[in-house]
Amino acid sequence: MIRKILSHLVILTLCLASCSTPSKQEQVEQRLTGTIGQKAMVSSVHELASEVGKDVLANGGNAFDAAVAVQFALAVVYPEAGNIGGGGFAVIRTAEGKSDALDFREKAPLAATETMYQDDNGEVITDLSRIGHLAAGVPGSVDGMVKLHEKYGSMDWAQLVQPAVDLAKSGYVVEERGAANFMRMQEAFARYNGQGFYLVKDWQPTDTVWHKDLESTMALIRDNGRAGFYEGAVADLILAEMEEGNGLITQADLDAYEAQWRTPLIGHYKGHRIISMPPPSSGGVALLQLLNGSANYDFAKMGHNSAEQLHVMVELCRRVYADRASYLGDPDYYDVPVDMLLSDQYNSDRFNTISMDKKTSSSEIKEGEVEIIESIETTHFSIVDELGNAVSITTTVNGYFGNKVMVDGAGFFLNNEMDDFSAKPGVPNQFGLIGNEANAIQPEKRMLSSMTPTIVDKDGQLLMVVGTPGGSTIITAVYQTIINVIDHGMTMQEAVNAKKIHHQWLPDLVLVEKGAFGTVLTDQLKAYGHEIQERSMLGKMDCILVREDGTLEGASDYTRNGGIAVGY
Ligand code: DON
């Protein structure tokens, strides 16, 4: 695999013969250009899933066919975040330039209540919305893939699910990342699935894992489509699991679940058209607000990751995330003022309080004290086919392995997406995000998301497909990646590799990637009044850029324990 990666890449060889060979980590950080393809590209977190997508494309499938196959393949080989027990969003741009957005976000069960995670005194019960059966929303991924395929697919459904059946049957080698992720979860796996659970063991990178029960689950989805999951044997296993662990999901919830086609959000930035996800994601609104504010600044002149540019970005983020907390929620349940938030007048009023000398304190914008917790997982993949169709999908079970409960007999983990609701106004969720009425729990409502699958075009031509996991940091990572390409002229791989920062209004901290900035830059940022905190990583992008000569550059985030782009 390493040989394959290297053959695609330009390595920066400043090192003379006398220097020692760069470490693997140094080599990946030195890559300037990602995988180059002449016609088509898949960028995902797992090589086996990217290969599945590429095979679909090479066999005449379109980008949407490949997306269905990749989503199901990831559910097998990347159970950390790939899923059928969770949900996600797809942003689409067809070869003709038509855009679309699919919302397959989970929903609160019918029996959910606004205060379900609070005790008798109205205090939020730690972890109830994060681990175990009560944390699960009604899964949306299978219905989402069915709807994507119905509207845009060209190949036979069964052929697209078959690779996942095969992967579940053959098993796969977990490698270093998979072994480490399983090891991190040993206690929770045992607590919620029993000591005899097959994932409870001392995992080594060379071990093969078989998600045995997933083979029959995937075969039922292959043969019966939506009914293979929401009815019959798999539904019965979900209901039995709920009964066992006092969960809320019923057959009525499964019957009622429908993924929704939504109108994508369209904005403009320095001559580019930005297509992104509308509510119930906050991602598209926030991204377009950030880019609206950024249009007034010459970032190229300021310099990439200069103190001046970072200060402006932080100040924009501070204001945008405050809006997110107040105004964003499921549009089917709350009147989200999208037009206002995206209007030039609103944003110019909002951003003209930015001082170029010092930070505005977040308490001047709105009050609150919250803390951000690390250790989170979601996954993103980007696909472009030979015709120029593009799809950007972010999909998740929220935390690593969701609520840690594998549906007994069905071989997949359930999500813990209920934590994305505001359990109580002003009380932060696992990402330190707070919310209020707009994102309060209601039966059948969708919890607010930060996932920001996005596509950029210019002069009617596809330019970029971008997205990442990272909870609340998704929006800022997507934002900086787009700026890196548009303002700083970076290749896709450089933009992905570049060190990132994050600010989300509260807590009033600038998160910076560990070791990203030297003391000079750190001191310059502190001089504006910013408080800095290090974070191990920000973003884990999987993106594609259409280069000037029409070839495709797939960039996976190798540097942050990421995946692989495969093209031809
Ligand atoms: O929808 C959301 O915003 C979160 N559930 C996403 C979770 C996530 O990205 C975790 N990943 N690193």
Side-chain angles (χ1 to χ4, degrees):
M1 170 177 149
I2 296 296
R3 223 177 322 125
K4 196 179 327 163
I5 296 170
L6 293 180
S7 71
H8 290 309
L9 302 167
V10 177
I11 306 280
L12 186 66
T13 47
L14 294 174
C15 200
L16 299 174
S18 59
C19 295
S20 60
T21 312
S23 68
K24 189 175 152 196
Q25 180 63 20
E26 282 163 347
Q27 286 181 10
V28 291
E29 283 177 7
Q30 287 167 354
R31 284 173 191 154
L32 300 180
T33 311
T35 305
I36 303 302
Q38 303 302 313
K39 297 179 175 172
M41 185 69 61
V42 180
S43 185
S44 92
V45 74
H46 202 289
E47 182 178 15
L48 291 170
S50 292
E51 290 287 351
V52 162
K54 191 200 83 178
D55 288 348
V56 169
L57 296 175
N59 288 324
N62 64 24
F64 315 111
D65 294 319
V68 171
V70 171
Q71 171 80 31
F72 286 119
L74 282 171
V76 181
V77 299
Y78 196 63
E80 289 92 329
N83 68 84
I84 51 175
F89 300 123
V91 167
I92 286 163
R93 182 187 184 279
T94 66
E96 296 75 37
K98 186 175 156 258
S99 54
D100 211 342
L102 178 62
D103 164 4
F104 53 101
R105 181 73 161 164
E106 301 92 324
K107 294 173 79 166
L110 284 155
T113 62
E114 188 168 347
T115 54
M116 64 186 277
Y117 300 116
Q118 299 174 20
D119 64 18
D120 291 344
N121 300 321
E123 300 297 327
V124 172
I125 304 166
T126 314
D127 279 352
L128 204 54
S129 62
R130 293 180 197 165
I131 316 184
H133 298 72
L134 269 187
V138 184
S141 291
V142 175
D143 194 56
M145 291 306 104
V146 168
K147 294 220 164 36
L148 178 63
H149 181 256
E150 274 169 4
K151 190 162 175 186
Y152 290 103
S154 68
M155 274 173 74
D156 178 38
W157 167 261
Q159 270 182 280
L160 303 175
V161 189
Q162 187 61 42
V165 180
D166 295 341
L167 284 166
K169 184 170 185 177
S170 65
Y172 61 96
V173 177
V174 295
E175 299 184 345
E176 227 163 279
R177 179 182 64 192
N181 290 341
F182 284 157
M183 290 310 290
R184 282 172 59 179
M185 292 297 149
Q186 291 296 298
E187 203 194 309
F189 283 166
R191 177 144 32 107
Y192 289 98
N193 304 279
Q195 271 301 342
F197 184 48
Y198 71 104
L199 295 181
V200 176
K201 69 164 226 171
D202 184 15
W203 287 95
Q204 302 298 319
T206 50
D207 288 347
T208 295
V209 62
W210 284 273
H211 303 298
K212 199 166 48 62
D213 296 330
L214 196 50
E215 186 190 339
S216 51
T217 298
M218 286 295 180
L220 285 168
I221 295 170
R222 174 197 63 199
D223 297 340
N224 303 307
R226 180 193 152 92
F229 184 86
Y230 295 91
E231 297 170 32
V234 176
D236 288 346
L237 290 167
I238 296 174
L239 302 184
E241 187 61 65
M242 288 292 130
E243 186 109 352
E244 174 77 27
N246 294 320
L248 297 184
I249 298 171
T250 62
Q251 185 61 51
D253 284 307
L254 298 177
D255 290 342
Y257 187 87
E258 291 278 348
Q260 298 292 326
W261 287 102
R262 308 238 180 230
T263 306
L265 294 181
I266 308 275
H268 294 89
Y269 179 66
K270 298 184 180 171
H272 298 76
R273 195 168 71 118
I274 316 291
I275 307 161
S276 197
M277 193 68 211
S281 181
S282 61
V285 171
L287 175 67
L288 295 186
Q289 282 189 275
L290 290 171
L291 292 172
N292 183 305
S294 302
N296 302 322
Y297 297 94
D298 189 346
F299 287 152
K301 196 162 158 212
M302 290 177 182
H304 174 246
N305 280 357
S306 61
E308 200 180 9
Q309 179 194 292
L310 294 176
H311 169 70
V312 168
M313 286 180 156
V314 166
E315 291 307 306
L316 293 169
C317 290
R318 184 191 310 286
R319 289 156 176 80
V320 167
Y321 274 81
D323 284 349
R324 179 196 190 281
S326 299
Y327 297 121
L328 272 291
D330 181 350
D332 295 342
Y333 287 77
Y334 186 83
D335 194 8
V336 183
V338 174
D339 290 344
M340 177 194 83
L341 290 170
L342 296 184
S343 79
D344 288 341
Q345 187 59 52
Y346 175 80
N347 285 305
S348 109
D349 291 348
R350 190 88 176 113
F351 299 138
N352 78 11
T353 56
I354 293 178
S355 154
M356 288 309 288
D357 301 323
K358 66 172 181 52
K359 77 168 210 179
T360 313
S361 170
S362 283
S363 60
E364 286 171 39
I365 293 185
K366 216 162 184 177
E367 295 159 7
E369 285 295 327
V370 292
E371 166 200 356
I372 303 178
I373 297 168
E374 211 163 329
S375 174
I376 43 182
E377 193 54 46
T378 284
T379 195
H380 178 86
F381 56 94
S382 297
I383 303 179
V384 175
D385 68 19
E386 291 190 27
L387 299 170
N389 295 303
V391 59
S392 181
I393 291 191
T394 314
T395 181
T396 190
V397 280
N398 197 17
Y400 262 118
F401 306 98
N403 68 351
K404 326 297 181 220
V405 177
M406 180 172 277
V407 177
D408 197 20
F412 64 90
F413 286 99
L414 288 167
N415 66 83
N416 61 343
E417 221 74 59
M418 290 295 283
D419 189 59
D420 275 348
F421 278 118
S422 173
K424 186 181 172 183
V427 175
N429 73 356
Q430 67 167 331
F431 303 112
L433 293 166
I434 60 175
N436 55 27
E437 190 202 335
N439 191 31
I441 305 171
Q442 271 179 261
E444 291 206 272
K445 186 175 174 182
R446 287 172 159 91
M447 53 298 280
L448 183 61
S449 173
S450 300
M451 294 189 286
T452 315
T454 298
I455 297 178
V456 179
D457 66 19
K458 186 167 192 232
D459 302 331
Q461 302 295 318
L462 176 68
L463 180 69
M464 240 189 297
V465 187
V466 290
T468 183
S472 57
T473 69
I474 291 174
I475 299 164
T476 45
V478 167
Y479 164 56
Q480 289 165 88
T481 302
I482 290 173
I483 297 279
N484 287 346
V485 172
I486 294 180
D487 290 71
H488 299 297
M490 292 187 191
T491 66
M492 196 74 257
Q493 191 69 56
E494 288 172 318
V496 164
N497 289 359
K499 297 296 184 191
K500 310 225 164 35
I501 58 145
H502 174 73
H503 192 286
Q504 61 180 46
W505 169 50
L506 292 173
D508 192 351
L509 288 173
V510 182
L511 300 184
V512 302
E513 284 192 279
K514 222 181 192 113
F517 304 130
T519 47
V520 175
L521 183 54
T522 307
D523 287 346
Q524 285 172 333
L525 286 172
K526 284 184 183 161
Y528 286 106
H530 298 299
E531 193 178 328
I532 315 270
Q533 196 177 86
E534 285 196 328
R535 185 91 183 257
S536 60
M537 68 170 95
L538 291 168
K540 207 194 286 181
M541 319 285 306
D542 271 288
C543 309
I544 301 172
L545 177 73
V546 182
R547 307 200 304 172
E548 267 173 27
D549 63 1
T551 57
L552 301 169
E553 183 193 358
S556 195
D557 208 338
Y558 314 101
T559 60
R560 298 177 183 88
N561 197 21
I564 183 156
V566 180
Y568 63 90

